[in-house]
Amino acid sequence: MRVLLWVSTLQADILALALALDRHPGTELLIAADGLAEWRREPIARVRPLRAAMLEREDRGTRAAAEAFGADVVVCDNHFPEFAAAPRLCFLWHGLGWKATPPRDVEERLRHIARLTGQDPRRAASRFVAQCYHDRDRDWRVHSWGVAPENCAVVGSCFSDLLLAPPYTREELAPAYRIDVTARKTLLLNFTWHYGRIFPGSWQPSLLGRSPMEADLAFLRAIFARAADHDANVLFCLHDRWRYETAYLAALHREAAGFPHVELKHKNERPDNLADLVVADAMLSNLSSFVTFFYHTGRPSIHLCPPAGKPVRFSRLGRFGLRARAAEAAPAWMNAPDDNGGLTVFDAAGALAAVDRAFAEPGCCAERSREWLAAHIHAADGKTSDRMVQVIEALAGRLP
């Protein structure tokens, strides 16, 4: 079986699947992804090196190499090759969170799948399968996306395999960070870029700042200071640099530089975010799907949610940078914001109080996280990647 991974980055479920396919007997793997030079410098590449050939997805010769490879199956996330990469396609998500994919984006993805396979994914298809995290996730794809249920494989989260049995320890990861992740506790900050800011659109924290940027910066200063009160680090993980406005990004870096125990990193420069989850003692997010992976650790998670009924403005990354969509008075949520595995807060004061509780009661979210995972993730048993490989094998063996 020949499998082509045509993906944005080697992270999360894609990473775990790549590691499983790389060691699976009888499988030849070719990986086309972004940021491979940065990935090779990361701790994960040292402890779990990949034997497969790896190509930068946007390089000039990658298309020809992929066509010559002759894959039986191409695995995609939210990027699709513009050429006939393989007769069969397997689709994976980046993570399971709350924000629903906009209808226009869903239609675009379904068109790509039909173009590459020659089959409509809204009907039972022999050349297409979609990975699903749980029965609930499958039902969402069927009823919201319109994907035929026969095309959905409920396997769970491949990334959970690595989270349940990390390939490195906190002590082994310590040299990869400027902050001391062994002697001090660490608060991980990870905010979705979909809002364009930490606080989504017209929802502004009343006590902080006069503009959206000032509100975010005042909030971050307060969080950095509160972590310092607990003798804790802050590991501030941001998305790719190009997803932020220049002035806003510069301001975030200035704020982080003002605190000696705060480290800021970008996904495109240091992509090993499994390491970030391993070294973190608590996590604060504003509904980034990345926080649901943290539930597997059982450590405290804090969810900064928009108050019910408040408009939420999302952003979209286009050819000319980040731009805002119109505010949605009633956003479409795949999962309700308060349906989470940790502490729910709605403003800066609530977030600060939750940080206090997270450090004072490290087990405060363990049961809630377990319950959320049981209700949203199928069989987190350390064998999900193997199940996903079996699904791909079955897809590769189907008749055209």
Side-chain angles (χ1 to χ4, degrees), residues 198-284:
I198 295 174
F199 297 97
S202 60
W203 165 41
Q204 293 299 322
S206 59
L207 299 179
L208 301 179
R210 294 172 296 175
S211 72
M213 182 185 295
E214 290 169 345
D216 280 9
L217 297 179
F219 175 70
L220 287 172
R221 282 193 295 271
I223 292 294
F224 295 165
R226 186 59 58 89
D229 291 342
H230 291 275
D231 295 321
N233 306 308
V234 172
L235 179 57
F236 189 10
C237 294
L238 294 172
H239 220 291
D240 309 309
R241 279 185 178 268
W242 59 80
R243 293 182 183 269
Y244 301 93
E245 299 161 280
T246 302
Y248 182 66
L249 185 61
L252 295 180
H253 278 262
R254 283 196 302 272
E255 292 298 332
F259 291 81
H261 300 291
V262 174
E263 182 167 355
L264 186 152
K265 57 179 286 192
H266 283 279
K267 173 182 174 179
N268 63 307
E269 297 169 346
R270 296 168 63 188
D272 185 0
N273 54 18
L274 172 62
D276 303 331
L277 297 175
V278 171
V279 303
D281 295 280
M283 185 173 178
L284 168 60

Coordinates of all heavy atoms in Angstrom, one line a residue, residues 198-284:
I198 N -8.0 37.9 21.2 CA -8.3 37.0 22.2 C -9.8 37.0 22.5 O -10.5 35.9 22.7 CB -7.5 37.2 23.5 CG1 -6.0 37.0 23.3 CG2 -8.0 36.3 24.7 CD1 -5.1 37.4 24.4
F199 N -10.4 38.2 22.6 CA -11.8 38.3 22.8 C -12.5 38.5 21.5 O -12.2 39.3 20.7 CB -12.1 39.6 23.7 CG -11.4 39.4 25.1 CD1 -10.2 40.0 25.4 CD2 -12.1 38.7 26.1 CE1 -9.6 39.9 26.6 CE2 -11.5 38.6 27.3 CZ -10.3 39.2 27.6
P200 N -13.6 37.7 21.3 CA -14.2 37.6 19.9 C -15.1 38.8 19.6 O -16.2 38.9 20.0 CB -15.0 36.3 20.0 CG -15.3 36.1 21.4 CD -14.2 36.7 22.2
G201 N -14.5 39.7 18.8 CA -15.4 40.8 18.2 C -15.9 41.8 19.2 O -15.2 42.4 20.0
S202 N -17.2 42.0 19.2 CA -17.9 43.0 20.0 C -17.9 42.7 21.5 O -18.2 43.5 22.3 CB -19.3 43.2 19.5 OG -20.0 42.1 19.6
W203 N -17.5 41.5 21.8 CA -17.5 41.1 23.3 C -16.2 41.7 23.8 O -15.1 41.3 23.5 CB -17.5 39.6 23.4 CG -17.1 39.1 24.8 CD1 -17.4 39.7 26.0 CD2 -16.2 38.0 25.1 NE1 -16.8 38.9 27.0 CE2 -16.1 37.9 26.5 CE3 -15.6 37.0 24.3 CZ2 -15.4 36.9 27.1 CZ3 -14.8 36.1 24.9 CH2 -14.7 36.0 26.3
Q204 N -16.3 42.7 24.6 CA -15.1 43.4 25.2 C -15.2 43.3 26.8 O -16.2 43.5 27.4 CB -15.0 44.8 24.8 CG -14.8 45.1 23.4 CD -13.4 44.5 22.9 OE1 -12.5 44.5 23.7 NE2 -13.4 43.9 21.7
P205 N -14.1 42.9 27.4 CA -14.0 42.9 28.9 C -14.1 44.3 29.4 O -13.3 45.2 29.1 CB -12.7 42.2 29.2 CG -11.9 42.5 28.0 CD -12.8 42.6 26.8
S206 N -15.1 44.6 30.2 CA -15.4 46.0 30.5 C -14.3 46.7 31.3 O -14.2 47.9 31.3 CB -16.7 46.1 31.3 OG -16.6 45.3 32.5
L207 N -13.5 46.0 32.0 CA -12.5 46.6 32.9 C -11.2 46.8 32.2 O -10.3 47.4 32.8 CB -12.3 45.8 34.2 CG -13.5 45.6 35.0 CD1 -13.2 44.7 36.2 CD2 -14.1 46.9 35.5
L208 N -11.0 46.3 31.0 CA -9.7 46.3 30.4 C -9.7 47.0 29.0 O -10.3 46.6 28.1 CB -9.2 44.8 30.1 CG -9.1 44.0 31.4 CD1 -8.7 42.6 31.0 CD2 -8.1 44.6 32.3
G209 N -9.0 48.2 29.0 CA -8.7 48.8 27.7 C -9.8 49.5 27.1 O -11.0 49.3 27.4
R210 N -9.5 50.3 26.0 CA -10.5 51.0 25.2 C -10.6 50.5 23.8 O -11.6 50.7 23.2 CB -10.2 52.5 25.2 CG -10.3 53.2 26.6 CD -9.8 54.6 26.5 NE -8.4 54.6 26.1 CZ -7.7 55.7 25.9 NH1 -8.3 56.9 25.9 NH2 -6.4 55.7 25.6
S211 N -9.7 49.7 23.3 CA -9.7 49.2 22.0 C -9.5 47.7 22.1 O -9.0 47.2 23.1 CB -8.6 49.8 21.1 OG -7.3 49.3 21.5
P212 N -9.8 46.9 21.1 CA -9.6 45.5 21.1 C -8.2 45.1 21.4 O -7.9 44.2 22.2 CB -10.0 45.0 19.7 CG -11.1 46.0 19.3 CD -10.6 47.3 19.8
M213 N -7.2 45.8 20.8 CA -5.8 45.5 21.1 C -5.4 45.8 22.5 O -4.8 45.0 23.2 CB -4.9 46.2 20.1 CG -3.4 45.9 20.3 SD -2.2 46.8 19.3 CE -2.7 46.3 17.7
E214 N -5.8 46.9 23.0 CA -5.5 47.3 24.4 C -6.1 46.3 25.4 O -5.6 46.0 26.4 CB -6.0 48.7 24.6 CG -5.2 49.8 23.9 CD -5.8 51.2 24.0 OE1 -7.0 51.2 24.3 OE2 -5.2 52.2 23.7
A215 N -7.4 45.9 25.1 CA -8.0 44.9 25.9 C -7.2 43.6 26.0 O -7.0 43.1 27.1 CB -9.4 44.6 25.4
D216 N -6.7 43.1 24.9 CA -6.0 41.9 24.9 C -4.7 42.1 25.7 O -4.3 41.2 26.4 CB -5.6 41.5 23.4 CG -6.8 40.8 22.7 OD1 -7.9 40.8 23.3 OD2 -6.6 40.2 21.6
L217 N -4.0 43.2 25.4 CA -2.7 43.4 26.1 C -2.8 43.5 27.6 O -2.0 43.0 28.4 CB -2.0 44.6 25.5 CG -1.7 44.5 24.0 CD1 -1.0 45.8 23.5 CD2 -0.8 43.4 23.7
A218 N -3.9 44.3 28.0 CA -4.1 44.4 29.5 C -4.4 43.1 30.1 O -4.0 42.7 31.2 CB -5.2 45.4 29.7
F219 N -5.2 42.3 29.4 CA -5.5 40.9 29.8 C -4.3 40.1 30.0 O -4.1 39.4 31.0 CB -6.5 40.3 28.9 CG -6.9 38.8 29.2 CD1 -7.6 38.5 30.3 CD2 -6.4 37.8 28.4 CE1 -7.9 37.2 30.6 CE2 -6.7 36.5 28.7 CZ -7.5 36.2 29.8
L220 N -3.4 40.1 29.0 CA -2.2 39.3 29.0 C -1.3 39.7 30.2 O -0.7 38.9 30.8 CB -1.5 39.4 27.7 CG -2.1 38.6 26.5 CD1 -1.4 38.9 25.2 CD2 -2.1 37.1 26.8
R221 N -1.1 41.0 30.4 CA -0.3 41.5 31.5 C -0.8 41.0 32.8 O -0.1 40.6 33.7 CB -0.3 43.0 31.5 CG 0.6 43.7 30.4 CD 0.9 45.1 30.7 NE -0.3 45.9 30.6 CZ -0.8 46.5 29.4 NH1 0.0 46.3 28.3 NH2 -1.9 47.2 29.4
A222 N -2.2 41.0 32.9 CA -2.7 40.5 34.2 C -2.5 39.0 34.4 O -2.2 38.5 35.5 CB -4.2 40.8 34.2
I223 N -2.6 38.2 33.3 CA -2.4 36.8 33.3 C -0.9 36.5 33.6 O -0.5 35.6 34.5 CB -2.8 36.1 32.0 CG1 -4.3 36.1 31.9 CG2 -2.3 34.7 32.0 CD1 -5.1 35.3 32.9
F224 N 0.0 37.2 33.0 CA 1.5 37.0 33.2 C 1.8 37.3 34.7 O 2.5 36.5 35.3 CB 2.3 37.9 32.3 CG 2.2 37.6 30.8 CD1 2.6 38.6 29.9 CD2 1.6 36.5 30.4 CE1 2.5 38.3 28.5 CE2 1.5 36.2 29.0 CZ 2.0 37.2 28.1
A225 N 1.2 38.4 35.2 CA 1.5 38.8 36.6 C 0.9 37.7 37.6 O 1.5 37.4 38.6 CB 0.9 40.1 36.8
R226 N -0.3 37.2 37.3 CA -0.9 36.3 38.2 C -0.1 35.0 38.2 O 0.1 34.3 39.2 CB -2.3 36.0 37.8 CG -3.1 35.1 38.7 CD -3.1 35.7 40.1 NE -3.7 37.0 40.2 CZ -5.0 37.3 40.4 NH1 -5.9 36.2 40.5 NH2 -5.5 38.5 40.4
A227 N 0.4 34.5 37.0 CA 1.3 33.3 37.0 C 2.5 33.6 37.8 O 3.0 32.7 38.6 CB 1.6 33.0 35.6
A228 N 3.1 34.8 37.7 CA 4.3 35.1 38.5 C 4.0 35.0 40.0 O 4.8 34.6 40.8 CB 4.8 36.5 38.1
D229 N 2.8 35.4 40.4 CA 2.4 35.3 41.8 C 2.4 33.9 42.3 O 2.6 33.7 43.5 CB 0.9 35.9 42.0 CG 0.8 37.4 41.8 OD1 1.9 38.1 41.8 OD2 -0.3 37.9 41.6
H230 N 2.2 33.0 41.4 CA 2.3 31.5 41.8 C 3.7 30.9 41.5 O 3.8 29.7 41.5 CB 1.2 30.8 41.0 CG -0.2 31.1 41.4 ND1 -0.8 30.4 42.5 CD2 -1.1 32.0 40.9 CE1 -2.0 30.9 42.6 NE2 -2.2 31.8 41.7
D231 N 4.7 31.8 41.2 CA 6.0 31.3 40.9 C 6.0 30.4 39.7 O 6.7 29.4 39.6 CB 6.7 30.6 42.1 CG 6.9 31.6 43.2 OD1 7.3 32.8 42.9 OD2 6.8 31.2 44.4
A232 N 5.1 30.7 38.7 CA 4.9 29.8 37.6 C 5.4 30.5 36.3 O 5.4 31.8 36.2 CB 3.4 29.4 37.4
N233 N 5.7 29.7 35.3 CA 6.0 30.2 34.0 C 4.7 30.4 33.2 O 3.7 29.9 33.6 CB 6.8 29.2 33.2 CG 8.1 28.7 33.8 OD1 8.9 29.6 34.2 ND2 8.3 27.4 33.9
V234 N 4.8 31.1 32.1 CA 3.8 31.2 31.1 C 4.4 30.8 29.7 O 5.4 31.3 29.3 CB 3.1 32.6 30.9 CG1 2.2 32.6 29.7 CG2 2.4 32.9 32.2
L235 N 3.9 29.7 29.1 CA 4.3 29.3 27.8 C 3.2 29.8 26.8 O 2.1 29.2 26.8 CB 4.5 27.8 27.7 CG 4.9 27.2 26.4 CD1 6.2 27.8 25.9 CD2 5.0 25.7 26.5
F236 N 3.5 30.8 26.1 CA 2.5 31.5 25.2 C 2.7 31.0 23.8 O 3.6 31.4 23.1 CB 2.7 33.0 25.3 CG 1.6 33.8 24.7 CD1 0.4 33.3 24.3 CD2 1.8 35.2 24.6 CE1 -0.5 34.1 23.7 CE2 0.8 36.0 24.0 CZ -0.3 35.4 23.5
C237 N 1.8 30.1 23.4 CA 1.9 29.5 22.0 C 1.0 30.2 21.1 O -0.2 30.2 21.3 CB 1.6 28.0 22.1 SG 2.8 27.1 23.0
L238 N 1.6 30.8 20.0 CA 0.8 31.5 19.0 C 0.8 30.6 17.7 O 1.7 29.8 17.5 CB 1.4 32.8 18.7 CG 1.3 33.8 19.8 CD1 2.1 35.1 19.5 CD2 -0.1 34.2 20.1
H239 N -0.2 31.0 16.8 CA -0.2 30.3 15.5 C 0.9 30.9 14.6 O 1.8 31.5 15.1 CB -1.6 30.6 14.9 CG -2.2 29.4 14.2 ND1 -1.6 28.9 13.0 CD2 -3.2 28.6 14.5 CE1 -2.3 27.9 12.6 NE2 -3.3 27.7 13.4
D240 N 0.9 30.5 13.3 CA 1.9 31.0 12.4 C 2.0 32.5 12.4 O 0.9 33.2 12.5 CB 1.5 30.5 11.0 CG 1.2 29.1 10.9 OD1 2.0 28.3 11.4 OD2 0.2 28.7 10.3
R241 N 3.1 33.0 12.2 CA 3.3 34.5 12.3 C 2.4 35.2 11.3 O 1.9 36.3 11.6 CB 4.8 34.9 12.0 CG 5.7 34.7 13.2 CD 7.1 35.2 12.9 NE 8.0 35.1 14.0 CZ 8.2 36.1 14.9 NH1 7.6 37.2 14.7 NH2 9.1 35.9 15.9
W242 N 2.2 34.7 10.1 CA 1.5 35.4 9.1 C 0.0 35.5 9.3 O -0.7 36.2 8.6 CB 1.8 34.8 7.7 CG 1.4 33.4 7.6 CD1 0.1 32.9 7.4 CD2 2.3 32.2 7.7 NE1 0.2 31.5 7.4 CE2 1.5 31.1 7.5 CE3 3.6 32.1 7.9 CZ2 2.0 29.8 7.6 CZ3 4.2 30.8 7.9 CH2 3.4 29.7 7.8
R243 N -0.5 34.9 10.4 CA -1.9 34.9 10.7 C -2.3 36.1 11.5 O -3.4 36.3 11.9 CB -2.3 33.6 11.4 CG -2.3 32.4 10.5 CD -2.8 31.2 11.2 NE -2.6 30.0 10.3 CZ -3.5 29.5 9.5 NH1 -4.7 30.2 9.4 NH2 -3.3 28.4 8.8
Y244 N -1.3 37.0 11.9 CA -1.6 38.1 12.7 C -1.2 39.4 12.1 O -0.3 39.5 11.2 CB -0.7 38.0 14.0 CG -1.0 36.7 14.8 CD1 -0.2 35.6 14.6 CD2 -2.1 36.7 15.7 CE1 -0.5 34.4 15.3 CE2 -2.3 35.5 16.5 CZ -1.5 34.4 16.2 OH -1.8 33.2 17.0
E245 N -1.9 40.5 12.4 CA -1.6 41.8 12.0 C -0.2 42.2 12.5 O 0.1 41.9 13.7 CB -2.7 42.8 12.4 CG -4.0 42.5 11.8 CD -5.1 43.2 12.6 OE1 -5.5 42.7 13.7 OE2 -5.6 44.2 12.2
T246 N 0.5 43.0 11.8 CA 1.9 43.3 12.1 C 2.0 44.0 13.5 O 2.8 43.6 14.4 CB 2.5 44.2 11.0 OG1 2.5 43.4 9.8 CG2 4.0 44.5 11.4
A247 N 1.2 45.1 13.7 CA 1.2 45.8 14.9 C 0.8 45.0 16.1 O 1.4 45.1 17.2 CB 0.4 47.1 14.8
Y248 N -0.2 44.2 15.9 CA -0.7 43.4 17.0 C 0.3 42.3 17.4 O 0.6 42.1 18.6 CB -2.0 42.7 16.5 CG -2.7 41.8 17.6 CD1 -3.2 42.3 18.7 CD2 -2.8 40.4 17.4 CE1 -3.9 41.6 19.7 CE2 -3.4 39.6 18.3 CZ -4.0 40.2 19.5 OH -4.6 39.4 20.4
L249 N 1.0 41.7 16.4 CA 2.0 40.7 16.7 C 3.1 41.3 17.5 O 3.7 40.8 18.4 CB 2.4 40.1 15.4 CG 3.4 38.9 15.6 CD1 2.8 37.8 16.4 CD2 3.9 38.4 14.2
A250 N 3.6 42.5 17.0 CA 4.7 43.2 17.7 C 4.4 43.5 19.1 O 5.2 43.4 20.0 CB 5.1 44.4 16.9
A251 N 3.1 43.9 19.4 CA 2.7 44.2 20.7 C 2.7 43.0 21.6 O 3.1 43.1 22.8 CB 1.3 44.9 20.7
L252 N 2.2 41.9 21.1 CA 2.3 40.6 21.9 C 3.7 40.3 22.3 O 3.9 39.8 23.4 CB 1.6 39.5 21.1 CG 0.1 39.6 20.7 CD1 -0.3 38.4 19.9 CD2 -0.7 39.8 22.0
H253 N 4.6 40.4 21.3 CA 6.0 40.1 21.6 C 6.6 41.0 22.7 O 7.3 40.6 23.6 CB 6.8 40.1 20.4 CG 6.7 38.8 19.6 ND1 7.7 37.8 19.6 CD2 5.8 38.4 18.7 CE1 7.3 36.8 18.8 NE2 6.2 37.1 18.2
R254 N 6.2 42.3 22.6 CA 6.7 43.2 23.6 C 6.2 42.9 25.0 O 7.0 43.0 26.0 CB 6.3 44.7 23.2 CG 7.1 45.3 22.1 CD 6.9 46.8 22.1 NE 5.4 47.2 21.9 CZ 4.8 47.3 20.8 NH1 5.5 47.1 19.6 NH2 3.6 47.7 20.7
E255 N 4.9 42.5 25.1 CA 4.4 42.2 26.4 C 5.1 41.0 27.0 O 5.4 40.9 28.2 CB 2.9 41.9 26.3 CG 2.1 43.2 26.0 CD 2.2 44.2 27.0 OE1 2.4 43.9 28.2 OE2 2.0 45.4 26.7
A256 N 5.3 40.0 26.2 CA 5.9 38.7 26.6 C 7.4 39.0 27.1 O 7.8 38.4 28.1 CB 5.9 37.7 25.5
A257 N 8.1 39.9 26.4 CA 9.5 40.2 26.7 C 9.6 40.9 28.0 O 10.7 40.9 28.6 CB 10.1 41.0 25.6
G258 N 8.5 41.5 28.5 CA 8.6 42.2 29.8 C 8.5 41.3 31.0 O 8.6 41.9 32.1
F259 N 8.4 40.0 30.9 CA 8.2 39.1 32.0 C 9.3 38.0 31.8 O 9.3 37.3 30.8 CB 6.8 38.5 32.0 CG 5.8 39.5 32.4 CD1 5.2 40.3 31.5 CD2 5.3 39.5 33.7 CE1 4.2 41.2 31.8 CE2 4.3 40.4 34.1 CZ 3.8 41.3 33.1
P260 N 10.2 37.9 32.8 CA 11.3 36.9 32.7 C 10.9 35.5 32.6 O 11.7 34.7 32.0 CB 12.2 37.2 33.9 CG 11.2 37.8 34.9 CD 10.2 38.6 34.1
H261 N 9.7 35.1 33.1 CA 9.3 33.7 33.0 C 8.2 33.5 32.0 O 7.4 32.5 32.2 CB 8.9 33.3 34.4 CG 10.0 33.4 35.5 ND1 11.2 32.6 35.4 CD2 10.2 34.3 36.5 CE1 12.0 33.0 36.4 NE2 11.4 34.0 37.1
V262 N 8.2 34.3 31.0 CA 7.2 34.1 29.9 C 8.0 33.7 28.6 O 9.0 34.4 28.3 CB 6.4 35.3 29.7 CG1 5.5 35.2 28.4 CG2 5.5 35.6 30.9
E263 N 7.6 32.7 28.0 CA 8.2 32.3 26.7 C 7.1 32.3 25.6 O 6.1 31.7 25.8 CB 8.9 30.9 26.8 CG 9.6 30.5 25.5 CD 10.5 29.3 25.7 OE1 10.7 28.9 26.8 OE2 11.1 28.9 24.6
L264 N 7.4 32.9 24.5 CA 6.5 33.0 23.4 C 7.0 32.2 22.2 O 8.2 32.3 21.9 CB 6.2 34.5 23.0 CG 5.2 34.8 22.0 CD1 4.6 36.2 22.2 CD2 5.7 34.7 20.6
K265 N 6.2 31.4 21.6 CA 6.7 30.6 20.4 C 5.6 30.6 19.4 O 4.4 30.8 19.7 CB 7.0 29.2 20.8 CG 6.0 28.4 21.5 CD 6.4 27.0 21.9 CE 6.5 26.1 20.7 NZ 6.7 24.7 21.0
H266 N 6.0 30.4 18.1 CA 5.1 30.4 17.0 C 5.0 29.0 16.4 O 6.1 28.3 16.3 CB 5.5 31.4 15.9 CG 5.1 32.8 16.2 ND1 3.8 33.3 16.0 CD2 5.8 33.8 16.7 CE1 3.8 34.6 16.4 NE2 5.0 34.9 16.8
K267 N 3.8 28.6 15.9 CA 3.7 27.2 15.4 C 4.6 27.0 14.2 O 5.1 25.9 14.0 CB 2.2 27.1 15.0 CG 1.9 25.8 14.2 CD 0.4 25.8 13.8 CE 0.1 24.6 12.9 NZ -1.3 24.5 12.6
N268 N 4.7 28.0 13.3 CA 5.5 27.8 12.1 C 7.0 27.7 12.4 O 7.8 27.3 11.5 CB 5.2 28.8 11.0 CG 5.6 30.2 11.5 OD1 5.2 30.7 12.6 ND2 6.4 30.9 10.7
E269 N 7.4 28.2 13.5 CA 8.9 28.2 13.9 C 9.2 27.0 14.8 O 10.4 26.5 14.7 CB 9.2 29.5 14.5 CG 9.0 30.7 13.6 CD 9.1 32.0 14.3 OE1 9.1 32.1 15.6 OE2 9.2 33.1 13.6
R270 N 8.3 26.7 15.6 CA 8.6 25.6 16.6 C 7.3 24.7 16.7 O 6.5 24.9 17.5 CB 8.9 26.1 18.0 CG 10.2 26.9 18.0 CD 10.4 27.7 19.2 NE 10.5 26.9 20.4 CZ 10.5 27.4 21.7 NH1 10.5 28.7 21.9 NH2 10.6 26.5 22.7
P271 N 7.2 23.8 15.7 CA 5.9 23.1 15.5 C 5.6 21.9 16.5 O 4.5 21.4 16.5 CB 6.0 22.5 14.1 CG 7.5 22.4 13.9 CD 8.1 23.5 14.6
D272 N 6.5 21.6 17.4 CA 6.3 20.4 18.3 C 5.4 20.8 19.4 O 5.9 21.1 20.5 CB 7.6 19.9 18.8 CG 7.4 18.6 19.6 OD1 6.3 18.2 19.7 OD2 8.4 18.0 20.1
N273 N 4.1 20.9 19.2 CA 3.2 21.3 20.3 C 2.8 20.1 21.2 O 2.2 20.4 22.2 CB 1.9 22.0 19.7 CG 1.2 21.2 18.7 OD1 1.4 20.0 18.6 ND2 0.3 21.9 17.9
L274 N 3.2 18.9 20.8 CA 3.0 17.8 21.8 C 3.9 18.1 23.0 O 3.5 17.9 24.1 CB 3.4 16.5 21.1 CG 3.5 15.3 22.1 CD1 2.2 14.9 22.7 CD2 4.1 14.0 21.3
A275 N 5.1 18.6 22.8 CA 6.0 18.9 23.9 C 5.4 20.0 24.8 O 5.5 19.9 26.0 CB 7.3 19.4 23.3
D276 N 4.6 20.9 24.2 CA 4.0 22.0 25.0 C 3.0 21.4 26.0 O 2.9 21.8 27.1 CB 3.3 23.0 24.1 CG 4.3 23.6 23.1 OD1 5.5 23.7 23.5 OD2 3.9 24.0 22.1
L277 N 2.2 20.4 25.5 CA 1.2 19.7 26.3 C 1.9 18.9 27.4 O 1.4 18.8 28.6 CB 0.3 18.9 25.5 CG -0.5 19.6 24.4 CD1 -1.3 18.5 23.6 CD2 -1.5 20.5 25.0
V278 N 3.0 18.4 27.2 CA 3.7 17.5 28.2 C 4.3 18.4 29.3 O 4.2 18.0 30.5 CB 4.9 16.7 27.5 CG1 5.7 16.0 28.5 CG2 4.3 15.7 26.5
V279 N 4.8 19.6 29.0 CA 5.4 20.4 30.0 C 4.5 21.3 30.8 O 4.8 21.9 31.8 CB 6.6 21.2 29.5 CG1 7.6 20.4 28.8 CG2 6.1 22.3 28.5
A280 N 3.2 21.4 30.3 CA 2.3 22.3 30.9 C 1.6 21.7 32.1 O 1.2 20.5 32.1 CB 1.2 22.7 29.9
D281 N 1.4 22.5 33.2 CA 0.6 22.1 34.4 C -0.8 22.6 34.3 O -1.7 22.0 35.0 CB 1.3 22.7 35.6 CG 2.7 22.1 35.8 OD1 2.8 21.0 36.3 OD2 3.7 22.8 35.4
A282 N -1.1 23.6 33.5 CA -2.5 24.1 33.4 C -2.5 24.8 32.0 O -1.5 25.2 31.5 CB -2.9 25.0 34.5
M283 N -3.7 25.0 31.5 CA -3.9 25.6 30.2 C -5.0 26.5 30.2 O -6.1 26.3 30.8 CB -4.1 24.5 29.1 CG -4.1 25.0 27.7 SD -4.1 23.7 26.5 CE -4.2 24.5 25.0
L284 N -4.8 27.7 29.5 CA -5.9 28.7 29.3 C -6.1 28.9 27.8 O -5.1 29.2 27.1 CB -5.5 30.0 30.0 CG -6.3 31.3 29.7 CD1 -7.7 31.1 30.1 CD2 -5.7 32.5 30.4

